[in-house]
Structures are given as structure tokens and as C-alpha cells.
């Protein structure tokens, strides 16, 4: 699997917010075997520097994000600061358009992606399953799309399964990462069985009773879903179908 020019083996991208302790965070990252961790630009001075030093020890690839930004100006400024702080051109683009659902603003997201791509960023845009928005994001330079499964932190899973299936079929050669809404390993399996390339999650692991064990559960679930998709799932049937044909059975009468 390739994200921009980077070959990635793990299909789990992991957020770093909300863990009960730094030690649990570090152990969860290790258990997940993720290669990419998302990080927000911190503005807490010394505390922020200490956090960056801590996660640097993981030796994972950083994917800074523009979490909490609601305007184009906020996004572009945050992205440029993140590039300097984390020394990467990767940026997870979030432009929140709705306070309650945290749904991305499609218009501002496309405009921000256009600006950032021209500035040399490799943009991972948080979007919806809207095909028109997806096309516009690709047209301005994005090479990855990150549709939500459900609102951020809701744990509702894939709320629009048919829409996501359509998106997968339509953008068949584009890496698609489910971002937001995944709350259980079974939901991650469902997304991977549909052919999505990866899962980005945070809350489902960070807020689990045992985040370290949950990280391992998601690692295995995503791998199982990937294998199932590659193996080829059987088609659903309207009626029962015996696995042993009646023809050729011994007559025991």
C-alpha cells in the first residue's frame, strides 16, 4: 500500500489523544503495530514540547492534523506551523463545518486542499462519502481521500454503507481511508471487507477499559478484513444452498 511516495504495511492509522496516561499511549502504539500516528499541533509551550519528544520515541511516521480548525485561515496557518514543528509535508486536513456533528465543510476543505497542495503539502483530506467533493479534492492535487464512517468520536460505525460502497467502486484506484466513527473491531472489519485501504481511529482505543488490548484487537480485525476482501467473499443468496450436492449421495433405503 502506498500513501503518496511512502510504502506502508500497516493499515491502521492511530490517533494520540485522550489516553489515560503517556505510558498507556506508548504501549497502545506498540500493540497496534501502526506505522503512522496522527498528532495535533500543541500550543501548550513546555507541555507540548514534552509530548512531541515522547511520541518521537515511537519512531513512527507523523501525520499532523488541523483538528479544531473552522476557517480557511486557521487551517493554512496551522498546517504551515505543523510542517515546521513535525518536519513533514504530510497533513491531515480537517475543516470543521458543523459544531454538533463535526462534519467537514466541503467548500472550505476543497479550497484549503488547493492552497496546501500548491504549497507542497501531501494532503490527507477528511471528507464525507460525497463523490463530487471527492473528485474536486483529487482535481486540486490530493492523492488520498478520507471519508468518515460516522461523526468523530461517535462510535456509530458505517452509517451510510451504500454510499461508502459506491465511493469505493467509483474511486477504485485511489487510496481510501475510513476516518472517524469507528467504535468496534467488527466495524473496522466491515470497512476492510468492502475494500477500503485503511482505518484511522483514536477514541475507540483511547477510551477503552484496556486500550492496549483494544489496540491489538483492532490490529487483528483490520488484518482479517483485508484478508477476507482479498480472498473474495461469497455472494449472499436468497435461499439455503447445501454445501454437499444431492447428486451422487448413497441411497440408504
Amino acid at each position: 500500500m502506498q500513501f503518496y511516495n511512502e510504502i506502508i504495511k500497516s493499515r491502521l492509522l492511530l490517533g494520540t489523544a485522550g489516553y489515560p496516561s503517556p505510558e498507556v499511549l506508548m504501549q497502545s502504539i506498540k500493540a497496534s503495530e501502526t506505522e503512522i500516528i496522527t498528532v495535533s499541533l500543541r500550543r501548550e509551550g513546555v507541555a507540548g514540547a514534552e509530548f512531541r519528544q515522547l511520541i518521537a520515541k515511537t519512531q513512527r511516521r507523523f501525520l499532523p492534523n488541523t483538528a479544531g480548525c473552522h476557517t480557511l485561515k486557521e487551517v493554512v496557518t496551522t498546517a504551515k506551523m505543523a510542517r515546521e514543528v513535525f518536519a513533514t509535508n504530510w497533513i491531515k486536513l480537517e475543516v470543521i463545518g458543523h459544531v454538533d456533528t463535526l462534519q467537514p465543510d466541503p467548500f472550505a476543505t476543497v479550497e484549503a486542499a488547493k492552497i496546501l497542495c500548491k504549497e507542497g503539502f501531501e494532503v490527507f483530506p477528511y471528507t464525507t462519502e460525497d463523490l463530487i467533493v471527492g473528485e474536486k479534492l483529487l482535481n486540486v492535487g490530493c492523492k488520498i481521500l478520507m471519508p468518515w464512517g460516522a461523526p468523530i468520536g461517535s462510535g456509530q460505525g458505517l452509517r451510510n454503507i451504500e454510499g461508502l460502497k459506491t465511493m469505493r467502486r467509483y474511486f477504485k484506484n485511489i487510496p481510501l481511508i475510513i476516518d472517524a466513527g469507528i467504535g468496534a473491531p467488527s466495524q473496522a472489519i466491515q470497512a476492510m471487507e468492502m475494500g477500503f485501504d485503511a482505518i484511522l481511529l483514536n477514541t475507540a482505543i483511547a477510551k477503552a477499559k484496556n486500550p492496549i488490548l483494544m489496540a491489538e484487537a483492532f490490529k487483528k480485525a483490520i488484518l482479517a478484513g483485508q484478508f477476507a476482501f482479498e480472498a473474495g467473499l461469497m455472494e449472499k443468496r436468497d435461499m439455503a444452498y447445501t454445501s454437499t450436492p444431492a447428486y451422487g449421495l448413497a441411497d440408504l433405503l
Side-chain angles (χ1 to χ4, degrees), residues 105-151:
D105 181 330
F107 309 104
T109 298
V110 171
E111 186 61 29
K114 181 178 180 180
I115 294 171
L116 294 176
C117 286
K118 285 183 177 180
E119 292 279 349
F121 285 92
E122 295 175 323
V123 180
F124 293 64
Y126 166 55
T127 182
T128 65
E129 64 276 20
D130 190 298
L131 301 183
I132 298 172
V133 176
E135 280 191 328
K136 289 184 179 297
L137 287 168
L138 296 175
N139 288 339
V140 300
C142 297
K143 296 182 180 180
I144 288 173
L145 298 175
M146 302 179 69
W148 67 347

Side-chain angles (χ1 to χ4, degrees), residues 9-207:
K9 295 181 180 179
S10 173
R11 295 174 184 264
L12 170 58
L13 288 70
L14 191 61
T16 55
Y19 287 80
S21 71
E23 178 63 24
V24 170
L25 167 61
M26 297 293 279
Q27 291 188 37
S28 297
I29 291 173
K30 182 179 180 180
S32 73
E33 295 187 3
T34 182
E35 297 172 60
I36 301 172
I37 55 176
T38 64
V39 287
S40 297
L41 183 64
R42 306 287 177 171
R43 298 189 179 92
E44 298 91 20
V46 175
E50 289 178 350
F51 177 77
R52 290 192 292 273
Q53 290 171 6
L54 175 69
I55 58 175
K57 295 178 181 179
T58 66
Q59 298 184 325
R60 264 56 172 189
R61 180 69 186 255
F62 288 162
L63 175 58
N65 64 45
T66 60
C69 293
H70 294 260
T71 67
L72 191 60
K73 182 178 180 180
E74 282 182 307
V75 165
V76 174
T77 301
T78 301
K80 289 181 177 179
M81 292 172 65
R83 177 160 62 182
E84 182 175 345
V85 169
F86 295 105
T88 178
N89 286 326
W90 279 15
I91 192 74
K92 179 190 171 188
L93 172 60
E94 295 183 28
V95 191
I96 302 303
H98 194 276
V99 176
D100 293 330
T101 65
L102 300 182
Q103 180 173 333
D105 181 330
F107 309 104
T109 298
V110 171
E111 186 61 29
K114 181 178 180 180
I115 294 171
L116 294 176
C117 286
K118 285 183 177 180
E119 292 279 349
F121 285 92
E122 295 175 323
V123 180
F124 293 64
Y126 166 55
T127 182
T128 65
E129 64 276 20
D130 190 298
L131 301 183
I132 298 172
V133 176
E135 280 191 328
K136 289 184 179 297
L137 287 168
L138 296 175
N139 288 339
V140 300
C142 297
K143 296 182 180 180
I144 288 173
L145 298 175
M146 302 179 69
W148 67 347
I152 294 172
S154 69
Q156 295 178 17
L158 309 180
R159 293 207 308 182
N160 185 1
I161 292 175
E162 291 306 315
L164 289 168
K165 285 182 177 179
T166 299
M167 189 177 202
R168 177 67 283 179
R169 289 192 297 266
Y170 191 78
F171 297 116
K172 59 182 179 180
N173 296 320
I174 302 298
L176 298 182
I177 303 170
I178 292 292
D179 177 18
I182 296 295
S186 58
Q187 297 165 356
I189 289 177
Q190 184 180 30
M192 297 303 293
E193 287 179 345
M194 289 163 54
F196 282 87
D197 296 284
I199 306 291
L200 193 160
L201 54 84
N202 187 163
T203 307
I205 292 178
K207 299 303 182 184

